[in-house]
Amino acid sequence: MMGTAAAAAAAAAASSCDRDDTRKKQITVVLLLIRTLLLACIIARRVVALIRLVCRVAVLAPARSLLGVAGVVFSAVNARCLWCLDQQALGRSCTGTFCGDLVVAAMANSWRLLVQGLTSLVFLCAHAAGEYVRPPPSPLVLTAHNKPASHPQQVHISIVREKNMRISWVTDDRTAPSVVEYGTSPGKYTASATGDHTTYRYFFYKSGAIHHATIGPLDLSTTYYYRCGKAGDEFTLRTPPARLPVEFVVIGDLGQTEWTASTLSHIGGGGDYDMLLLPGDLSYADTQQPLWDTFGRLVQPLASARPWMVTEGNHEIETLPVVEFAPFVAYNARWRMPHEESGSPSNLYYSFDAAGGAAHVVMLGSYTDYGEGSEQRAWLERDLAGVDRRRTPWLVALLHAPWYNTNEAHQGEGERMRRAMESLLYEARVDVVFAGHVHAYERFTRIYDNEADSRGPMYITIGDGGNREGLALKFIKGHKSAHLSDFREASFGHGRLRIVNETSAVWTWHRNDDQFTTVRDEVWLRSLAAVEPARTVSAVAGGGRPADEL
Ligand SMILES: [Fe+2]
C-alpha cells in the first residue's frame, strides 16, 4: 500500500512539473511574439520615414521647384501679355511695326482667352454645377493704366459715417503714401487724412497697394476736390444730402463688358444722383485677379464721384480647390465697407444711414451664415431694433440671391435665406428689397411668405448691369410666384430709387437698349413707417394686392 501511494505522489509531482514547463514555454512564446511585433513596428516606422525622406528629396522638392519655375514663367508671360493689351487699348505700338503689333496682339489676346477660359472652367466646375445655360458672352472692355506706378488708380469712395467718406485706391508702387488731400476748391487742399494700405496674394498674383483713408467731417451736399497719394489726377466728389430728397442708383451683376459700359454711360458721369447701391457680383474676375484692376479702372469715373455701397455676390467668393481656400480675399481687400461703424463683425454685411437718417440701408450677405444662431442674423436683429421709424421713414435692404424670382435662372437659390430672414424684414416693415444674381429685371408686388401683403417689402431684382455671362432670357410662365410679379423683362439697364419725402418715393427702371436713357418701368411707393407694427397685425390673415401705393 505504502509503495502504491509513493508512486502516485511521484506521478503527480512529475505531472505538475510538466504543466509548469508548458506554461513557461507559452509565456516565452508570447513574449517573443510581442518583441517581434514591437521590432516590426520600429522597422516599419523607420521604413516609412525613409520613404518620406526619399519622396521629399526625389519627388516633392523637384515638383516644388518645377511649380516655382512655372509660376515665374506664368507671371512673366501674363504680365507681358497684359502690358501688350494695355498698349493696344491705349493705341500704342508694342513693337514699332504694324505687322509686329498684329502678331503680338493676336498672341496676347490668345493668351488672355486661354487663361480666362481655363480659370472660368475651373471656377464653374467648382461652384456652378447645374448653372443656367446662358447666351454667348459679350467682349470684355479692358481699361489700361498708363501713368507712373505711384499714381493712384481704381479710385472709389464709400460712406463711413454721415459726414465721413472712405477714399480707396490702388498704386502699383507699394511704397506710395496712403494720404488724401482735399478741399472745396480745385487744387486748394485745406485738409488731409492718412489711412493705411493692404496687399494680397492670389495664386501667382500679387496685388498693388490697396489704400483706404477716411476723410471728414465733411459738409453735406458739397462738392470736394481731392488727390490721393500726393500724386496723379485730381478727383471730384459730392457728399450726400443732409435731408430728403435723396436718389439712389441701383445696379447689380455689373462686370466689365460692352454691356457694362453701356449701363455706366446711361447712368452718366454727370452725377444727377447721390449714391450708388450694388447688390453683388462686381468685376466677374472669377479668380483672374488682373480683372479686378481693370474693373476698378472702368468704374473709376463714376465710383470716384459718388459713394458706391456694395455687398457681395457669388462671383466675389473666388475659392478654388487645392490652391485657394479663403473666400472673398480680393473683395474684402478692395471694397472695404463700413461694417465696424454699423456694429457688424464682417465686411460681408453692414448698414448705413442716408439723408440725415431719413433712410436706413441694410446690406445683407447671401454667401455667409444667416441661419438661426448665426452672427449675421444676431447683427440684423440688433440693427433693425435700433431703427426708429418716426425718425427713419424709409428702410431699404439689399442682398444678392433673390428671394422671389420667376426666371428660369437661379431658381430657389435664395430660398434658405428667405426662410431664415424674411420675418425679420417683414416685422421691421422694410419698404423695398433689392437683389441681383438673375441677369434680368423683375419687380414684384409687396409680399410676405409667398403671399401678396401690403405690409411686406416690394421685391425688385436688378441683376442686369451687363456682365459677360449675358441675360437670363427665360421667365417661367406658370411659376407659383408669377401672379406676384408686376413687371419682368430680360434687358440690360439700371434702376433709380428717388425718395422724395417722408411718405413718398419713386422707383424707375432704365433700359439700355435705346440711345437715350428710357424709363421702361415706374412705380410710386408709400413708406411703411406708418403701418402698425407687425405683432399687432400678425393675427390678421391674408393680404391682397397692395392698396397703399400712390
Ligand atoms: Fe450672382
Side-chain angles (χ1 to χ4, degrees):
M1 286 293 288
M2 287 290 287
T4 309
S15 171
S16 169
C17 204
D18 286 347
R19 277 201 302 274
D20 285 347
D21 285 347
T22 308
R23 199 172 298 141
K24 277 179 189 170
K25 279 179 188 168
Q26 286 172 342
I27 290 169
T28 307
V29 169
V30 169
L31 285 173
L32 191 65
L33 279 172
I34 291 171
R35 279 178 191 156
T36 308
L37 205 61
L38 283 171
L39 191 64
C41 284
I42 291 166
I43 291 170
R45 284 183 63 182
R46 295 269 160 87
V47 169
V48 168
L50 192 66
I51 290 171
R52 276 186 183 165
L53 188 67
V54 169
C55 273
R56 203 167 291 169
V57 173
V59 181
L60 287 179
R64 275 184 190 156
S65 303
L66 205 63
L67 203 62
V69 171
V72 171
V73 172
F74 176 88
S75 299
V77 173
N78 203 41
R80 190 69 188 166
C81 285
L82 287 172
W83 179 83
C84 289
L85 290 171
D86 278 0
Q87 298 302 305
Q88 188 192 359
L90 292 167
R92 293 176 183 168
S93 172
C94 298
T95 62
T97 63
F98 178 73
C99 291
D101 284 349
L102 271 182
V103 173
V104 166
M107 288 170 66
N109 276 302
S110 302
W111 173 264
R112 179 178 64 79
L113 288 173
L114 176 71
V115 173
Q116 192 184 331
L118 285 173
T119 51
S120 297
L121 187 67
V122 173
F123 181 78
L124 286 174
C125 289
H127 297 287
E131 185 85 350
Y132 171 73
V133 178
R134 298 177 187 285
S138 164
L140 296 182
V141 175
L142 295 174
T143 45
H145 180 63
N146 58 345
K147 305 275 174 61
S150 62
H151 280 212
Q153 52 169 306
Q154 308 172 47
V155 180
H156 64 89
I157 64 175
S158 51
I159 287 172
V160 178
R161 285 175 290 273
E162 186 185 18
K163 294 189 173 181
N164 293 88
M165 202 81 83
R166 178 175 287 122
I167 315 290
S168 304
W169 72 98
V170 177
T171 53
D172 291 333
D173 177 2
R174 295 187 184 89
T175 64
S178 304
V179 176
V180 176
E181 304 160 285
Y182 60 100
T184 52
S185 300
K188 292 181 182 172
Y189 307 126
T190 53
S192 72
T194 303
D196 55 21
H197 82 263
T198 185
T199 60
Y200 72 91
R201 280 185 177 278
Y202 189 97
F203 205 25
F204 295 129
Y205 171 89
K206 186 176 181 188
S207 74
I210 302 163
H211 306 264
H212 301 284
T214 301
I215 61 172
L218 305 168
D219 294 330
L220 298 175
S221 294
T222 302
T223 298
Y224 281 87
Y225 301 86
Y226 65 100
R227 192 172 68 147
C228 307
K230 298 189 171 181
D233 301 328
E234 181 179 78
F235 296 92
T236 307
L237 67 83
R238 193 182 74 206
T239 51
R243 60 188 68 84
L244 297 175
V246 65
E247 184 160 328
F248 302 100
V249 161
V250 190
I251 42 172
D253 303 66
L254 193 53
Q256 46 191 312
T257 67
E258 290 172 359
W259 295 321
T260 312
S262 168
T263 302
L264 295 177
S265 74
H266 279 82
I267 293 169
D272 57 341
Y273 60 96
D274 299 300
M275 201 178 298
L276 189 142
L277 309 177
L278 204 165
D281 283 1
L282 283 74
S283 71
Y284 282 75
D286 293 340
T287 73
Q288 204 182 343
Q289 297 303 301
L291 289 182
W292 274 108
D293 296 310
T294 54
F295 174 78
R297 294 195 282 267
L298 178 67
V299 302
Q300 177 180 280
L302 276 71
S304 62
R306 296 289 181 275
W308 275 42
M309 308 305 290
V310 305
T311 189
E312 84 281 8
N314 53 311
H315 286 270
E316 274 70 67
I317 300 173
E318 295 194 299
T319 52
L320 274 180
V322 183
V323 289
E324 286 296 339
F325 296 106
F328 304 112
V329 172
Y331 172 76
N332 282 335
R334 293 169 182 272
W335 290 84
R336 192 183 291 177
M337 291 290 122
H339 67 95
E340 286 156 338
E341 291 76 7
S342 56
S344 161
S346 167
N347 193 47
L348 303 177
Y349 48 89
Y350 64 95
S351 65
F352 62 95
D353 285 343
H360 186 69
V361 182
V362 180
M363 307 292 274
L364 297 175
S366 292
Y367 301 95
T368 184
D369 285 350
Y370 43 68
E372 198 73 45
S374 66
E375 284 188 329
Q376 181 175 197
R377 190 186 159 88
W379 167 81
L380 180 60
E381 286 178 356
R382 285 196 307 274
D383 188 77
L384 293 174
V387 177
D388 179 354
R389 294 306 294 269
R390 288 166 300 183
R391 183 181 158 270
T392 306
W394 290 95
L395 197 43
V396 176
L398 285 89
L399 47 92
H400 189 62
W403 293 354
Y404 293 99
N405 168 31
T406 69
N407 197 291
E408 203 172 90
H410 302 301
Q411 265 304 309
E413 290 184 22
E415 181 61 11
R416 279 183 59 223
M417 189 182 186
R418 183 191 73 78
R419 287 174 186 269
M421 289 187 154
E422 187 180 24
S423 61
L424 293 180
L425 301 194
Y426 178 71
E427 286 170 14
R429 297 286 180 248
V430 168
D431 293 287
V432 56
V433 176
F434 294 107
H437 204 34
V438 176
H439 301 164
Y441 172 70
E442 183 162 27
R443 174 172 61 79
F444 290 87
T445 185
R446 294 189 177 281
I447 304 176
Y448 178 59
D449 198 15
N450 288 298
E451 297 288 341
D453 189 324
S454 59
R455 302 171 300 264
M458 178 177 288
Y459 286 87
I460 294 172
T461 300
I462 183 84
D464 58 341
N467 66 76
R468 63 178 168 75
E469 292 178 338
L471 290 166
L473 296 170
K474 293 180 185 169
F475 288 96
I476 301 169
K477 272 189 179 173
H479 192 279
K480 65 173 184 177
S481 300
H483 66 292
L484 303 171
S485 177
D486 283 348
F487 191 105
R488 50 188 186 174
E489 183 175 321
S491 296
F492 292 113
H494 74 277
R496 288 173 184 247
L497 179 68
R498 181 171 180 80
I499 301 178
V500 180
N501 56 36
E502 284 71 14
T503 56
S504 302
V506 58
W507 165 256
T508 49
W509 177 59
H510 303 247
R511 196 174 68 182
N512 284 0
D513 295 2
D514 313 277
Q515 186 181 358
F516 303 103
T517 299
T518 302
V519 176
R520 281 282 296 151
D521 184 32
E522 178 175 324
V523 62
W524 282 82
L525 294 88
R526 186 183 289 276
S527 163
L528 293 181
V531 176
E532 51 191 318
R535 283 175 189 82
T536 62
V537 296
S538 57
V540 180
R545 299 288 294 177
D548 61 340
E549 308 304 353
L550 295 176

